[in-house]
Amino acid sequence: MKLSRVLPLAGFAVASTFAAHAETLTVATVNNNDMVIMQRLSDAFEQSHPDIDLEWVVLEENVLRQRLTTDIATNGGQFDVMTIGTYEAPIWAERGWLTPLDSLPADYNREDLLKPVIDGLSYNGKPYALPFYAESSMMYYRKDLFQKAGIEMTEQPSWNDVQEWAAKTNDPANDIAGICLRGKPGWGENMAFVSTLVNTYGGRWFDMDWQPQINSKPWQDAVGFYVKLLNDYGPAGASSNGFNENLALFSRGNCAIWVDSTVAAGKLYNPAESKVANEVGFAPAPVAVTPKGSHWLWSWALAIPSSSSAKETAKTFVAWATSQDYIALAGEREGWASAPAGTRESTYSNESYQQAAPFAGFVLNAIRGADPTDSTLEPSPYTGVQYVGIPEFQAIGTRVGQMVAAALTGDQPVKQALDAAQRATERTMTRAGYIEN
């Protein structure tokens, strides 16, 4: 607790000179493991900046997106630092909602940032958010369960392979699901995964005339496969599981296979965080018809809304939390496997990180290999691997995610759910002027 908050409780008056210089920053972030660590380590920032007080708003991913979008669109000014991603950064920057972050301290070493990552957070050549961690997607599996089932991992697994392996390792009697995948509805939850599945099945969200393709054959094949796979070999209640829920399941030993974010590797390989740390294997995200778009590219990043009244102070915090020094602090205090991944070249040349993170080179190559400008088998008019880089996608993706979840729970057949999603998306795109009546 800050001195300014302790002394009044003890009956003392706070010096007016201190109060005049103290400034509170309200930081909104997602409840992912890396962000929880950032909050925990922020005591180091407050100790070196005694005139800055941090107040944290930590929210589940879908709730965070809704709160931040509402606040920034209405110029609400509730937050000084926002955790956003590669989807929001260029769209919000174009609308003038974010503060440019091109004037950074000399020791920040912007050139050390991975180019695909900082490019995704930029607009017109200027960064409007700085990456806290970045990720692609990959496959995790239990080496002990694979060995027991006589399964040998291939260099590039296919989804047909995964189905076969999930069947062999599924063991409900011992509370082990053959596979865990995102089922919780949301454009950044189930649809982040489902979009990559659709991509590798040869599908796309829109054709070159912005006509939705959601009830096309690749979509029906991909979603039909997804629904059957999870219903046959997934955990109970899969439609409620997002990234955090599946991370908890796998780390407790309740999943044989999990396809999700590369950022989970740090926790899964940490014996203090994972019961299966010594048994985790990893492989590329599986493919079907094409490797294009089979693994995503994303960054959780820190941005400063234009509505903040503490922009310069907020820049100080954002620069600290995304710096090489912060990564070193996280490595030293939390273990190098838990250091923020995917943002800086120096992290991947650090011997301590390389020794603690056997997946380091693999993750770096996955991030570099994901191409948001060419993620579909047939041409598409949008950028993004697991999302579509237009303002309307947040609503579209969330609505489609709800319909896919309805198919997963059996409330609707897959075709009926995708037909409804197609009609809803057509209406949205027509109202927005992308397509004509």
Side-chain angles (χ1 to χ4, degrees):
M1 184 178 287
K2 285 286 188 182
L3 182 65
S4 59
R5 296 188 177 185
V6 174
L7 291 180
L9 296 177
F12 295 98
V14 181
S16 60
T17 53
F18 182 88
H21 294 289
E23 192 164 19
T24 298
L25 291 180
T26 303
V27 182
T29 194
V30 67
N31 64 341
N32 290 351
N33 186 58
D34 290 78
M35 304 308 189
V36 172
I37 290 174
M38 175 175 65
Q39 183 183 7
R40 187 160 63 236
L41 297 183
S42 65
D43 61 343
F45 175 81
E46 291 186 306
Q47 288 168 12
S48 61
H49 298 81
D51 57 340
I52 301 175
D53 188 7
L54 300 176
E55 290 191 351
W56 294 85
V57 179
V58 183
L59 300 168
E60 185 269 333
E61 183 172 325
N62 287 338
V63 177
L64 176 79
R65 294 186 194 281
Q66 185 178 27
R67 284 277 301 274
L68 296 189
T69 302
T70 300
D71 183 73
I72 204 161
T74 58
N75 201 36
Q78 294 183 54
F79 309 109
D80 301 298
V81 177
M82 291 180 164
T83 303
I84 65 172
T86 48
Y87 167 74
E88 295 94 348
I91 293 174
W92 290 4
E94 183 181 13
R95 296 183 172 191
W97 293 350
L98 299 177
T99 302
L101 296 172
D102 51 341
S103 55
L104 297 166
D107 61 357
Y108 183 77
N109 194 4
R110 178 181 162 183
E111 297 304 312
D112 185 47
L113 297 173
L114 292 173
K115 191 175 186 303
V117 176
I118 193 62
D119 284 353
L121 300 170
S122 299
Y123 174 70
N124 281 346
K126 287 185 179 181
Y128 282 81
L130 296 177
F132 183 73
Y133 72 77
E135 62 186 55
S136 185
S137 52
M138 63 194 285
M139 187 173 95
Y140 304 98
Y141 65 96
R142 287 271 301 278
K143 292 186 292 185
D144 55 335
L145 298 181
F146 270 48
Q147 183 177 12
K148 181 180 178 182
I151 301 169
E152 187 171 339
M153 176 54 63
T154 61
E155 185 175 344
Q156 173 58 72
S158 71
W159 277 108
N160 286 337
D161 292 332
V162 170
Q163 184 178 41
E164 179 183 330
W165 298 337
K168 289 182 176 180
T169 55
N170 191 51
D171 187 4
N174 289 301
D175 204 18
I176 298 173
I179 189 158
C180 290
L181 298 170
R182 296 189 189 193
K184 181 188 292 184
W187 73 266
E189 281 282 9
N190 64 342
M191 294 315 297
F193 168 76
V194 170
S195 291
T196 62
L197 188 64
V198 168
N199 290 342
T200 195
Y201 266 84
R204 52 186 172 165
W205 277 89
F206 301 97
D207 68 14
M208 291 301 290
D209 295 319
W210 289 105
Q211 293 287 343
Q213 303 293 295
I214 300 168
N215 60 355
S216 63
K217 185 177 185 301
W219 271 82
Q220 293 189 44
D221 290 346
V223 175
F225 175 84
Y226 162 80
V227 167
K228 181 171 174 38
L229 184 66
L230 271 182
N231 281 332
D232 287 351
Y233 311 119
S239 63
S240 299
N241 294 342
F243 170 78
N244 283 327
E245 291 80 8
N246 284 321
L247 175 61
L249 283 169
F250 196 100
S251 62
R252 290 199 304 261
N254 301 123
C255 298
I257 302 168
W258 181 33
V259 180
D260 210 296
S261 167
T262 57
V263 78
K267 181 165 183 173
L268 295 181
Y269 276 85
N270 185 344
E273 302 269 2
S274 170
K275 291 182 179 179
V276 295
N278 294 326
E279 300 295 346
V280 181
F282 58 87
V287 299
V289 175
T290 175
K292 277 192 172 186
S294 60
H295 57 287
W296 67 61
L297 179 64
W298 180 257
S299 173
W300 277 117
L302 302 181
I304 302 168
S306 299
S307 55
S308 170
S309 59
K311 294 183 182 64
E312 290 306 313
T313 305
K315 282 184 182 179
T316 301
F317 173 74
V318 169
W320 172 82
T322 61
S323 67
Q324 290 171 269
D325 288 343
Y326 174 84
I327 292 173
L329 175 68
E332 290 161 6
R333 284 179 48 173
E334 300 290 328
W336 274 100
S338 297
T343 62
R344 289 184 171 273
E345 298 281 358
S346 56
T347 302
Y348 292 90
S349 61
N350 184 303
E351 290 186 7
S352 296
Y353 185 70
Q354 290 174 354
Q355 291 173 5
F359 48 82
F362 177 89
V363 170
L364 181 61
N365 289 333
I367 290 172
R368 286 175 168 163
D371 187 354
T373 67
D374 186 21
S375 62
T376 55
L377 182 61
E378 295 185 81
S380 60
Y382 54 86
T383 59
V385 181
Q386 78 282 17
Y387 62 86
V388 177
I390 59 173
E392 294 78 13
F393 182 73
Q394 187 164 342
I396 290 170
T398 296
R399 181 69 177 140
V400 175
Q402 291 167 346
M403 294 173 182
V404 169
L408 179 60
T409 58
D411 291 341
Q412 287 187 331
V414 169
K415 187 177 186 308
Q416 183 179 334
L418 294 181
D419 284 343
Q422 173 78 10
R423 292 192 297 270
T425 305
E426 286 173 350
R427 289 193 297 270
T428 299
M429 296 301 280
T430 301
R431 286 196 300 268
Y434 288 85
I435 56 179
E436 296 180 0
N437 277 316

